[in-house]
Amino acid sequence: MSSYPHVFQYPFAVLQEQGFEMKGQWNKLFFKNENPIVLELGCGKGEYTVELGKLFPEKNFIGIDIKGARMWTGAKQSLEEGMKNVAFLRTHIELIEHFFASGEISEIWITFPDPQMSKVNKRMTSSRFMHLYRKILIHSGIIHLKTDSNFMYTYTSELVKANNLPIEVSTDDLYNSGLDDEILSIQTFYEQQWIERGLNIKYIKFILEPKDIYIEPDVEIELDPYRSFNRSKRSAKNTNKE
């Protein structure tokens, strides 16, 4: 992918030494417009990044993941289709503030992340990541979470509640919720797997209002009854759709 003009791969050592020249200037230097920028974190094959780019030509989309082999699928498709509002960034999510300036991002999509049931700080909707997202989002920036994990959905819902963040949409059974939303109908590779295995898809959309401190929810959450620490090894043997 090093030859793709819309793919950016920056080792941490390079960031430390040189920084990222487009930080705060993605619209000016790359997209060549002033349209809102939307991120898909942990984009995998980039399905949401590409499909959202098609649905909303008036917005710019950047898929972020550390695994280039997965990202290549979406990068190749968007290049072949001549999409000018799509880019991909290969880096760790924890480093995104090195690539984007304050207020540069309007929305963030988190699609089917590992719920990290035993490691709070690694959960992509934890208070740690909320502080990180707040650094790059506009004032009323939006967070979308789509997940197969009941643990992740419940944890995120409780965190949003604990921090009094405005919820715009929340459902623990997306495709039986009656929501007629073209955006939500986009299905990632992993999502199709979970649906085939009988898992309900959960979705929550909320506004990340600025706060000095984001707190963790003080609740006990039931663990998922299937392996979740490695998406390639997940199994739904003990899970049935109700």
Side-chain angles (χ1 to χ4, degrees):
M1 291 193 299
S2 60
S3 66
Y4 288 6
H6 65 320
V7 175
F8 301 89
Q9 305 182 86
Y10 275 69
F12 184 59
V14 175
L15 281 177
Q16 286 183 309
E17 294 177 7
Q18 305 174 12
F20 183 64
E21 68 275 10
M22 287 202 307
K23 179 178 179 178
Q25 301 188 78
W26 279 88
N27 283 117
K28 179 181 179 181
L29 299 180
F30 179 75
F31 292 114
K32 311 295 185 182
N33 59 49
E34 293 302 319
N35 295 338
I37 298 176
V38 182
L39 303 184
E40 183 193 3
L41 303 183
C43 69
K45 295 177 181 291
E47 297 101 325
Y48 253 86
T49 302
V50 172
E51 293 303 319
L52 286 172
K54 293 178 181 179
L55 286 174
F56 300 99
E58 73 280 8
K59 294 182 180 181
N60 301 318
F61 297 88
I62 304 174
I64 302 177
D65 208 307
I66 192 57
K67 296 188 177 180
R70 292 178 181 170
M71 188 187 297
W72 175 81
T73 301
K76 181 173 182 290
Q77 179 184 350
S78 55
L79 181 65
E80 291 177 343
E81 295 184 12
M83 300 181 69
K84 302 300 183 183
N85 65 330
V86 169
F88 289 89
L89 173 63
R90 187 178 180 185
T91 189
H92 290 285
I93 304 302
E94 292 87 342
L95 299 178
I96 57 174
E97 64 178 308
H98 291 275
F99 296 93
F100 304 101
S102 174
E104 192 167 16
I105 304 303
S106 64
E107 298 179 47
I108 290 176
W109 279 87
I110 306 170
T111 51
F112 299 90
D114 188 324
Q116 297 286 354
M117 292 187 287
S118 62
K119 300 176 182 177
V120 176
N121 280 340
K122 288 193 173 185
R123 291 176 202 156
M124 289 180 64
T125 56
S126 68
S127 57
R128 173 199 177 198
F129 279 93
M130 291 300 112
H131 282 289
L132 182 59
Y133 303 152
R134 186 63 265 156
K135 292 179 180 179
I136 64 174
L137 278 169
I138 61 175
H139 185 273
S140 296
I142 293 173
I143 303 286
H144 305 260
L145 170 69
K146 205 175 180 187
T147 180
D148 61 288
S149 167
N150 187 65
F151 178 89
M152 187 67 169
Y153 171 73
T154 303
Y155 167 78
T156 304
S157 299
E158 292 295 336
L159 182 136
V160 168
K161 185 189 304 181
N163 289 279
N164 297 310
L165 301 174
I167 297 175
E168 296 199 345
V169 181
S170 182
T171 175
D172 62 359
D173 190 359
L174 178 60
Y175 296 119
N176 288 304
S177 66
L179 288 172
D180 184 17
D181 193 321
E182 194 172 8
I183 299 175
L184 298 177
S185 68
I186 300 171
Q187 293 184 1
T188 69
F189 172 77
Y190 291 112
E191 180 173 2
Q192 292 169 19
Q193 287 187 324
W194 309 148
I195 292 173
E196 290 172 1
R197 297 177 186 181
L199 296 173
N200 289 345
I201 303 303
K202 293 85 174 169
Y203 171 71
I204 183 169
K205 174 184 179 182
F206 61 94
I207 297 173
L208 186 59
E209 293 183 336
K211 293 182 180 291
D212 293 332
I213 297 176
Y214 296 101
I215 62 174
E216 287 292 324
D218 185 19
V219 293
E220 291 292 330
I221 302 174
E222 183 179 357
L223 301 181
D224 293 332
Y226 58 98
R227 298 178 70 179
S228 56
F229 54 85
N230 186 324
R231 289 193 288 190
S232 64
K233 294 181 180 178
R234 282 188 182 182
S235 169
K237 290 181 179 179
N238 300 319
T239 307
N240 296 308
K241 186 174 181 180
E242 294 181 2

